[in-house]
Amino acid sequence: MALKTALITGAARGIGLATSKLLLGKGWQVAMLDRDRDELTKASDGLEGAMPFFCDVSIASDVDKTVPAILEAFGGLDAVVNNAGVAEFGPIDKTDFAMWRRVMETNLDGVFLVSQAVTPALKATRGSIVNIASISGLRASTLRVAYGTSKAAVIQLTKQQAAELGEFGIRANCVCPGPVRTKLAMAVHSQDIIDAYHDAIPLNRYGSEMEIAELIAFLCSDQASYVTGQIIAADGGFESTGVGLPALRS
């Protein structure tokens, strides 16, 4: 049986790295893509079945050079996970256009560019696209005008992909993580922020990178062969509850 191959962007750390390791453990080959050369080199070192590719997904010429190199190395693609993203937060009146464009270039343009570049390969395998958005694309929050808008656009892009690529057997789904216990989040979230999130989330905790990776791996797999066009929040119930739950608990 031929090995399946996944391309994962933003694979040097966090959810991208966790997903890479999980798929490798399930017998996949993984093209690990990131623009942080040093971190990706360290992350991919010793991972059998993985190969690092250094690319900035927001630059069309980078994508156009890298995708053919991946196809040459692995012979094809069965899944692409568009995970690469940047987060810059600030109030609307302090969000200048340069910040807006930095966020959009990676979070939205990158998803479009990579997906478009790999579509011919996915047609050949009737493969899968999994886009990583955010709970911030489903519900508004303070300081996230650029970030939240970019992720909401990724949700709509996913639906477009499902509608237009389904006739070729390509499935497209979107995962919207809620608060996840990453090193970055724990470094910037004060105890008050952590407590507030716990109060607002029915499961009363942050998620883990591996919990998000498990959902991504399922959507990439043949077990999800009739699932497409879906927007799935992996958020401990955060999006479903809206407002008022913490007060009602007591």
Side-chain angles (χ1 to χ4, degrees):
M1 181 185 299
L3 292 176
K4 290 198 170 187
T5 302
L7 162 60
I8 301 177
T9 71
R13 56 176 62 81
I15 292 169
L17 179 55
T19 305
S20 298
K21 291 179 177 178
L22 181 62
L23 286 178
L24 288 168
K26 293 178 179 290
W28 287 61
Q29 301 176 118
V30 178
M32 299 176 65
L33 187 151
D34 207 285
R35 67 183 181 186
D36 189 331
R37 182 179 294 269
D38 291 342
E39 282 298 312
L40 183 59
T41 299
K42 288 191 294 185
S44 61
D45 185 44
L47 294 181
E48 185 176 351
M51 188 178 298
F53 293 86
F54 311 108
C55 172
D56 187 333
V57 298
S58 71
I59 301 174
S61 59
D62 268 20
V63 174
D64 289 342
K65 287 185 297 186
T66 304
V67 169
I70 292 170
L71 295 175
E72 182 178 355
F74 290 102
L77 276 176
D78 299 279
V80 59
V81 180
N82 286 304
N83 170 70
V86 298
E88 292 192 52
F89 302 141
I92 291 177
D93 59 354
K94 296 292 196 306
T95 300
D96 60 22
F97 188 62
M99 178 198 285
W100 175 272
R101 284 306 310 150
R102 283 194 301 272
V103 173
M104 294 297 170
E105 283 168 356
T106 296
N107 293 6
L108 178 57
D109 299 353
V111 175
F112 172 76
L113 290 170
V114 171
S115 297
Q116 189 173 61
V118 302
T119 293
L122 293 179
K123 285 182 180 180
T125 59
R126 300 175 72 83
S128 173
I129 297 170
V130 181
N131 297 323
I132 311 305
S134 169
I135 197 68
S136 294
L138 291 169
R139 57 185 293 180
S141 183
T142 52
L143 310 181
R144 287 167 168 78
V145 62
Y147 182 78
T149 302
S150 73
K151 294 301 189 178
V154 168
I155 290 170
Q156 180 62 25
L157 176 57
T158 304
K159 294 179 180 181
Q160 288 292 143
Q161 291 169 335
E164 295 189 29
L165 300 178
E167 65 181 287
F168 305 106
I170 298 174
R171 297 180 298 106
N173 293 288
C174 186
V175 173
C176 297
V180 176
R181 184 172 285 276
T182 63
K183 289 182 180 178
L184 177 61
M186 293 303 97
V188 299
H189 285 189
S190 67
Q191 191 59 49
D192 285 345
I193 292 173
I194 293 170
D195 291 344
Y197 271 130
H198 283 197
D199 284 344
I201 296 170
L203 291 185
N204 198 35
R205 64 177 176 84
Y206 283 58
S208 71
E209 295 165 348
M210 190 54 68
E211 285 176 308
I212 310 302
E214 290 280 5
L215 175 56
I216 296 168
F218 168 72
L219 292 172
C220 289
S221 75
D222 291 338
Q223 283 69 44
S225 57
Y226 201 52
V227 180
T228 193
Q230 299 307 299
I231 314 303
I232 305 175
D235 66 348
F238 187 40
E239 195 269 337
S240 67
T241 55
V243 296
L245 182 61
L248 291 173
R249 279 183 178 161
S250 58

